[in-house]
Amino acid sequence: MIVGIDIRVLGSGTKSGVEEYTENLLAHLFLLDKNIKFKLFYSSFRNNLKKYEWMNFPNVEVFSLRFPNKLLFVSSRIFNRPCIDKLIGGADVFFSPHFLWASLSPECKRVTTFHDLSYVRFKEFFSWRRNIWHKFQIQSSLRANLKDKIIAVSQSTKKDLIEKYDTPLNGIRVIYSGISDSISRPPEDKLNLFKTENNLPDNFILFLGKLEPRKNITGLIKAFNLLKSQNNFENLSLIIVGSPGWLYKNIYREAEFSPYRNNIIFKNYIKDEDRKFYYSLASVFVYPSFFEGFGFPPLEAMACGTPVIASFNSSLSEVVGEGGLLVDPYNVVDISMAVKNIITDPVLRELLIKKGIEKTRCFNWNKCAIETLDVIKNA
């Protein structure tokens, strides 16, 4: 059997949930069946593709082309050419870990992972340029991909696909993502050394994710302001980790006007291997998104033994569940009170840490890879 896989998402130069999903899934997928030939398709005018260990596996072949992706999208959208499976020398099934448009030959079956439908449900969270691009590229892709096998990363995403596009139930399979093996709480001596070397405060709230309106970071800053205005929180800081996405200027503006701006720290970039240190050193991790298709950061924080606050909407109530406190993202008082309760109540804190660690055991990359390969084989 020959399986083509679209790995263009790995050349974006930034790390989001889609890249996290693709990197970890493929690392486990290629080990499951040595008799399957995997052909990886990558194309970019500027070759920004990282080198991964699994690219050297004997059953893996990388096809790296220099076509600009926007040109490929336009050609596929208008002419339904070129057929990606032909560019890689043929494939029985073509798997897209993300819904990038890919024209395929009629004989090649398609499997696509859908992470969320935020671009349909919340257009106000995107710039006008992104909304135009979504309409041109993604909507056409949806019409084609919904005819074939679909993997949804959560029940929430499955529900949205059914409601928004009348997708047949038997065409969708929910397969939960996993948590990277490297995400766990480091030893205390290494934590203390990292804290000193990076000049981190003793007590801080942590947010990690792309800076964009959907993440509700301005709401988190407002909740932080409320908390700081009370007694006993003079030494509390807020650390916001993430690269700027789109429509992010209001986030910086909100921080600039905060009376506690000296306690708000932005870190645009941190190394992958440093994430576990930030999670583990935080007093509480807060993820107040208006909408998520899955949500890696709260799971990763729970895996590091840090109490989590997340929104009760979309997939977060499903993924976090009883492992964290769920709040109304539109209510800054609700967010602020949840943080206060965790910091001031040691019993609640220990309960959430215990339940959070238990919850993370439900998410395993090897299990995700096995179930994904099953969908591919049965396509």
Side-chain angles (χ1 to χ4, degrees):
M1 183 180 185
I2 299 175
V3 177
I5 300 180
D6 191 340
I7 62 168
R8 285 178 286 175
V9 295
L10 298 181
S12 66
T14 60
K15 191 70 171 285
S16 69
V18 175
E19 286 80 14
E20 184 78 19
Y21 169 86
T22 305
E23 288 179 353
N24 286 282
L25 172 61
L26 297 189
H28 290 78
L29 184 70
F30 298 149
L31 297 172
L32 296 178
D33 192 335
K34 302 295 179 60
N35 295 316
I36 295 179
K37 176 70 174 180
F38 293 97
K39 295 181 176 181
L40 313 185
F41 172 74
Y42 179 79
S43 183
S44 175
F45 183 72
R46 297 181 181 87
N47 193 342
N48 297 320
L49 184 62
K50 288 168 56 179
K51 301 300 180 184
Y52 297 92
E53 183 180 341
W54 39 258
M55 289 179 173
N56 298 316
F57 289 178
N59 60 334
V60 173
E61 184 177 3
V62 180
F63 292 78
S64 184
L65 307 178
R66 300 300 295 271
F67 297 127
N69 272 308
K70 288 187 178 180
L71 181 61
L72 273 179
F73 291 147
V74 172
S75 178
S76 297
R77 177 72 170 82
I78 298 175
F79 304 109
N80 200 28
R81 291 289 187 275
C83 294
I84 304 300
D85 56 309
K86 297 298 184 184
L87 291 178
I88 60 176
D92 300 304
V93 181
F94 192 81
F95 172 52
S96 296
H98 186 40
F99 43 79
L100 292 176
W101 174 260
S103 297
L104 300 177
S105 305
E107 62 271 19
C108 183
K109 302 302 181 183
R110 185 195 309 264
V111 176
T112 306
T113 296
F114 282 82
H115 296 269
D116 66 72
L117 266 66
S118 58
Y119 48 86
V120 175
R121 295 196 57 193
F122 296 96
K123 293 181 180 180
E124 66 272 21
F125 292 153
F126 297 92
S127 66
W128 64 269
R129 287 188 180 88
R130 283 187 171 269
N131 280 322
I132 290 174
W133 182 245
H134 288 157
K135 185 173 183 179
F136 177 79
Q137 199 274 113
I138 294 176
Q139 298 294 350
S140 59
S141 173
L142 278 168
R143 285 193 290 273
N145 291 358
L146 292 178
K147 299 175 184 177
D148 300 293
K149 294 295 181 180
I150 294 170
I151 294 170
V153 297
S154 64
Q155 293 290 346
S156 174
T157 297
K158 177 180 178 178
K159 180 173 176 286
D160 284 344
L161 283 165
I162 294 169
E163 289 182 355
K164 296 292 182 181
Y165 294 101
D166 197 26
T167 313
L169 275 170
N170 59 1
I172 308 175
R173 181 168 173 178
V174 174
I175 300 177
Y176 289 122
S177 302
I179 301 174
S180 175
D181 296 335
S182 64
I183 300 293
S184 61
R185 188 177 183 86
E188 290 303 314
D189 58 335
K190 291 187 177 181
L191 283 174
N192 292 330
L193 179 62
F194 184 89
K195 177 183 172 184
T196 301
E197 290 179 343
N198 290 272
N199 195 29
L200 298 180
D202 291 331
N203 304 298
F204 64 91
I205 301 166
L206 177 67
F207 168 87
L208 189 149
K210 190 176 288 292
L211 306 191
E212 54 167 295
R214 178 165 59 96
K215 302 297 183 180
N216 190 28
I217 303 168
T218 56
L220 175 56
I221 294 172
K222 290 175 181 177
F224 176 70
N225 291 341
L226 279 176
L227 200 60
K228 289 285 287 183
S229 66
Q230 304 173 34
N231 294 328
N232 303 321
F233 295 101
E234 295 88 354
N235 296 325
L236 185 66
S237 298
L238 170 62
I239 297 181
I240 299 170
V241 176
S243 58
W246 48 88
L247 303 179
Y248 58 85
K249 291 183 179 179
N250 282 343
I251 297 170
Y252 290 127
R253 191 175 296 116
E254 190 71 41
E256 286 172 6
F257 284 109
S258 168
Y260 311 102
R261 55 185 172 273
N262 292 335
N263 298 112
I264 301 175
I265 303 165
F266 284 91
K267 291 186 177 289
N268 288 351
Y269 171 79
I270 62 171
K271 299 175 183 177
D272 277 356
E273 56 266 30
D274 289 348
R275 295 203 318 258
K276 61 186 176 183
F277 288 95
Y278 278 90
Y279 288 132
S280 301
L281 289 167
S283 303
V284 57
F285 180 81
V286 184
Y287 204 66
S289 292
F290 292 119
F291 181 86
E292 290 291 332
F294 184 75
F296 285 106
L299 272 182
E300 292 178 341
M302 290 192 294
C304 292
T306 299
V308 165
I309 296 168
S311 304
F312 59 48
N313 58 26
S314 56
S315 67
L316 291 174
S317 58
E318 173 186 349
V319 173
V320 175
E322 294 183 353
L325 286 185
L326 301 180
V327 297
D328 179 358
Y330 295 93
N331 188 334
V332 296
V333 175
D334 201 14
I335 300 170
S336 178
M337 286 299 299
V339 175
K340 179 179 180 179
N341 289 338
I342 288 175
I343 292 177
T344 59
D345 188 340
V347 175
L348 173 63
R349 180 181 180 82
E350 290 305 313
L351 179 64
L352 288 175
I353 290 172
K354 179 182 176 181
K355 285 183 173 291
I357 292 173
E358 288 175 357
K359 182 67 174 177
T360 60
R361 298 192 181 113
C362 301
F363 303 92
N364 179 278
W365 279 119
N366 194 54
K367 181 174 182 289
C368 176
I370 291 170
E371 294 179 1
T372 300
L373 186 59
D374 182 62
V375 174
I376 290 171
K377 284 182 172 180
N378 288 287

